[in-house]
């Protein structure tokens, strides 16, 4: 407050800068008078082609594409890990057979039973199918 009072007492309330008379009312006419008037010549060099840029669309879609790619990578990684762990569990569930036992017979009958369940065939349908061949 003291500084303001000291400045007012030293310099007063007079503003040092002024605007010329009719400056803002004549400004537009003065600017227009300074612009050179030329007839436009249509030549291939100075014609302006307005072309809508496709880059604007790319700029908008780029973050969505990056997010979709990241989600895809995460889904594929999760799917691969789940498949890997299920294969490990299946390998651990198969009992080790001795030298005299055949693993192929046990797995072929298991796969045959699974196929029969999948096709919903009973024994009569299987016998008819085998007899036709």
């Amino acid at each position: 407050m003291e500084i303001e009072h000291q400045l007012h007492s030293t310099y007063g309330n007079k503003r040092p800068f002024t605007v010329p008379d009719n400056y803002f009312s004549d400004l537009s006419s003065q600017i227009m008078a300074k612009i050179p008037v030329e007839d436009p010549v249509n030549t291939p060099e100075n014609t302006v082609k307005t072309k809508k840029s496709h880059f604007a669309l790319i700029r908008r879609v780029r973050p969505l594409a990056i997010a979709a790619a990241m989600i895809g990578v995460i889904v594929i990684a999760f799917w691969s890990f789940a498949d890997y762990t299920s294969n490990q569990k299946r390998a651990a569930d198969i009992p080790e057979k001795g030298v005299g036992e055949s693993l192929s017979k046990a797995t072929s009958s298991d796969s045959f039973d699974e196929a029969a369940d999948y096709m919903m065939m009973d024994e009569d349908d299987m016998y008819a199918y085998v007899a036709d061949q």
Side-chain angles (χ1 to χ4, degrees):
M1 193 72 175
E2 295 174 12
I3 296 174
E4 270 186 56
H5 182 62
Q6 182 183 5
L7 288 174
H8 282 294
S9 64
T10 305
Y11 298 107
N13 287 339
K14 185 179 177 191
R15 300 197 182 245
F17 303 106
T18 59
V19 178
D21 294 335
N22 297 327
Y23 177 77
F24 290 108
S25 61
D26 295 337
L27 181 64
S28 61
S29 61
Q30 289 175 2
I31 291 174
M32 293 303 284
K34 291 182 181 179
I35 297 175
V37 178
E38 294 181 15
D39 292 332
V41 178
N42 291 332
T43 61
E45 296 90 33
N46 64 0
T47 56
V48 177
K49 295 180 181 178
T50 57
K51 183 179 176 183
K52 188 173 183 180
S53 176
H54 68 281
F55 294 114
L57 179 64
I58 291 173
R59 285 186 204 141
R60 289 183 184 175
V61 175
R62 183 180 292 161
L64 295 175
I66 291 170
M70 292 303 292
I71 290 172
V73 166
I74 291 170
V75 167
I76 289 172
F78 179 73
W79 176 70
S80 298
F81 180 74
D83 188 45
Y84 176 75
T85 55
S86 66
N87 286 340
Q88 292 295 325
K89 286 180 184 177
R90 275 192 234 135
D93 289 343
I94 297 174
E96 293 189 24
K97 300 288 181 175
V99 176
E101 297 179 26
S102 172
L103 182 61
S104 63
K105 288 182 182 177
T107 56
S108 65
S109 65
D110 291 340
S111 62
F112 183 75
D113 290 338
E114 289 178 17
D117 289 340
Y118 179 74
M119 293 184 284
M120 292 189 214
M121 295 178 68
D122 58 354
E123 291 179 5
D124 294 331
D125 293 334
M126 285 186 227
Y127 290 136
Y129 179 73
V130 172
D132 288 340
Q133 303 229 351

